[in-house]
Amino acid sequence: MAELNFDKVLASLRLRLDEVTSENEFDEISKEFLGKDSLLSDERKKLSTLSKDDKKSYGEKLNRVYKSITDNITKSKIDFIDKKYSNLENSENEDVTINWVNKQGSHRHIISQVMDEVVDIFSSIGYKVAYGPEVETSWHNFDALNTPEWHPARYESDTLYTDINLETLLRTQTSTVQIRHMENNEPPAYIVAPGRVFRSDQLDATHSPVFHQLEGLAIDKNLKFTDLKGTLEYFVKQFFGEDIETKFIPHFFPFTEPSAEVLVKWNNEEWLEILGCGMVDPNVLKHVGYPKEYQGFAWGVGIERLAMLKYQIDHIKNFYENDIRFLEQF
Ligand code: DAH
């Protein structure tokens, strides 16, 4: 029986594969060497004419050749594609890991900038910075701050609890840091506490479930409401400019008595609320074990609110979307 010289077939296959210049040629080569008009296929047709033994041995040989041709084509195709992409990478000379470096330089997020600015204003008049955890106990967020059991702020519709017994939560206000500071430090106290707070709020133009506040606390022997007023008026003028007008109106907060809201006159027409404040309620000082002769004042201000007013930002979501066109303006 005349067998085809398969070494020759494989040699000519290798020659063909070496000359390939485009990916679709591999399909053509497959057809040429394995398709129905290929030499291999002609040989297969002859099998039926052979004796049983020859059929078996030649059939097995044809299968080995078939596999060898397929393997050669596949390997050659993979090498071809690898080479194509490594050539492309070299020619573009682009290292994506290095290209991340922003050639224009980078800067702090507007919220961090405003937070730093507010902290700086209070540092310059002697306040130290204090921090507290974002996951808090109900005690620090509510009880110690003289907030009664029935207060609506404690509802699960307002506060994000982290356990089913409602004993731990995501702090709803930085006022918690007042308590933590006084628990751990003897009076007097002059601190500001910047940080993130959480509420079960829907996102709208002025509300976000996560936002930032700066808390302030001043406790000493002779502090009066006039000290509170002078301190906060100083802050507002430093932040918005000397010409800004402020007014204090009565309000209610569980942890201060009396309590007030500070409003600023915007564009010479509307009064807008910017912060809450008051004289620290004696119950709060009792909870942290401060001696009776100490008293003082506290306040809490929303950082997003300050930034929106100062920079005329119309929707709170701008701060969190990380759109570079918004961020690079500041
Ligand atoms: N914690 C209040 C809030 O989130 C803001 C506040 C009001 C803080 C009065 C104070 C304060 O320290 O005295 O709405």
Side-chain angles (χ1 to χ4, degrees):
M1 187 195 76
E3 284 191 9
L4 192 68
N5 184 339
F6 289 111
D7 288 340
K8 249 184 171 171
V9 174
L10 286 175
S12 79
L13 171 68
R14 278 189 210 108
L15 277 179
R16 280 285 280 117
L17 290 173
D18 283 348
E19 285 166 0
V20 166
T21 54
S22 80
E23 227 171 291
N24 47 23
E25 281 178 55
F26 290 101
D27 289 341
E28 287 164 23
I29 296 174
S30 282
K31 227 192 236 162
E32 198 179 314
F33 285 83
L34 303 167
K36 65 182 186 343
D37 296 325
S38 63
L39 290 174
L40 191 68
S41 169
D42 288 346
E43 292 307 293
R44 278 202 169 123
K45 281 175 205 149
K46 287 184 197 157
L47 285 176
S48 59
T49 66
L50 301 181
S51 69
K52 204 175 158 208
D53 285 350
D54 285 350
K55 197 191 276 177
K56 185 164 184 275
S57 70
Y58 197 47
E60 280 171 4
K61 186 167 181 191
L62 290 182
N63 284 345
R64 282 198 302 279
V65 174
Y66 182 90
K67 186 165 182 314
S68 170
I69 294 174
T70 319
D71 289 351
N72 269 283
I73 295 175
T74 309
K75 178 169 186 314
S76 187
K77 188 172 176 180
I78 290 172
D79 289 349
F80 181 88
I81 293 172
D82 273 358
K83 200 163 163 202
K84 177 172 141 188
Y85 284 106
S86 69
N87 285 345
L88 198 65
E89 266 172 33
N90 290 339
S91 71
E92 288 177 344
N93 196 18
E94 202 160 333
D95 182 339
V96 287
T97 56
I98 287 178
N99 215 31
W100 276 102
V101 176
N102 181 351
K103 297 188 185 68
Q104 283 145 22
S106 52
H107 61 268
R108 286 167 76 66
H109 190 280
I110 178 64
I111 291 296
S112 302
Q113 288 182 44
V114 170
M115 202 110 102
D116 287 352
E117 190 183 344
V118 178
V119 168
D120 282 351
I121 294 171
F122 287 108
S123 303
S124 72
I125 52 171
Y127 285 79
K128 294 266 178 294
V129 181
Y131 297 98
E134 290 174 356
V135 178
E136 257 297 1
T137 61
S138 283
W139 163 260
H140 288 95
N141 200 85
F142 293 127
D143 304 274
L145 286 160
N146 199 38
T147 309
E149 285 292 331
W150 48 264
H151 198 280
R154 289 184 180 249
Y155 296 169
E156 281 173 87
S157 55
D158 286 34
T159 294
L160 298 158
Y161 287 90
T162 54
D163 74 319
I164 49 167
N165 299 325
L166 313 187
E167 281 165 6
T168 50
L169 44 76
L170 299 184
R171 69 176 178 193
T172 62
Q173 49 190 358
T174 44
S175 308
T176 53
V177 188
Q178 293 184 29
I179 303 301
R180 286 196 176 266
H181 180 82
M182 291 190 286
E183 279 173 344
N184 295 314
N185 297 275
E186 295 297 317
Y190 289 92
I191 55 144
V192 286
R196 201 175 283 144
V197 297
F198 308 83
R199 293 195 190 166
S200 187
D201 274 340
Q202 293 292 325
L203 185 74
D204 66 22
T206 53
H207 295 87
S208 156
V210 184
F211 61 103
H212 301 79
Q213 288 187 332
L214 177 127
E215 191 77 14
L217 175 73
I219 302 289
D220 214 330
K221 281 192 172 140
N222 292 307
L223 293 177
K224 303 191 174 57
F225 198 89
T226 46
D227 299 303
L228 156 70
K229 212 161 171 256
T231 304
L232 294 180
E233 269 169 0
Y234 171 79
F235 157 66
V236 172
K237 283 190 194 311
Q238 288 292 306
F239 187 78
F240 287 112
E242 278 298 317
D243 297 335
I244 194 99
E245 266 186 81
T246 53
K247 108 174 149 184
F248 287 68
I249 60 166
H251 198 76
F252 173 80
F253 295 104
F255 30 88
T256 41
E257 183 61 37
S259 305
E261 269 185 350
V262 177
L263 288 75
V264 293
K265 189 146 191 197
W266 205 246
N267 291 335
N268 269 331
E269 45 188 67
E270 341 165 49
W271 286 102
L272 296 177
E273 180 249 318
I274 58 156
L275 61 83
C277 60
M279 299 306 289
V280 176
D281 193 292
N283 284 340
V284 174
L285 298 172
K286 201 158 77 193
H287 285 144
V288 296
Y290 266 23
K292 276 222 164 56
E293 64 271 27
Y294 283 94
Q295 60 181 23
F297 57 90
W299 71 94
V301 55
I303 299 296
E304 278 81 349
R305 171 117 204 164
L306 290 180
M308 286 174 83
L309 281 174
K310 186 158 175 173
Y311 299 105
Q312 302 184 12
I313 295 162
D314 61 357
H315 203 296
I316 201 166
K317 71 177 181 193
N318 287 307
F319 295 122
Y320 319 118
E321 283 182 336
N322 284 336
D323 183 333
I324 197 82
R325 291 165 302 182
F326 170 78
L327 295 177
E328 67 189 4
Q329 294 176 64
F330 306 102

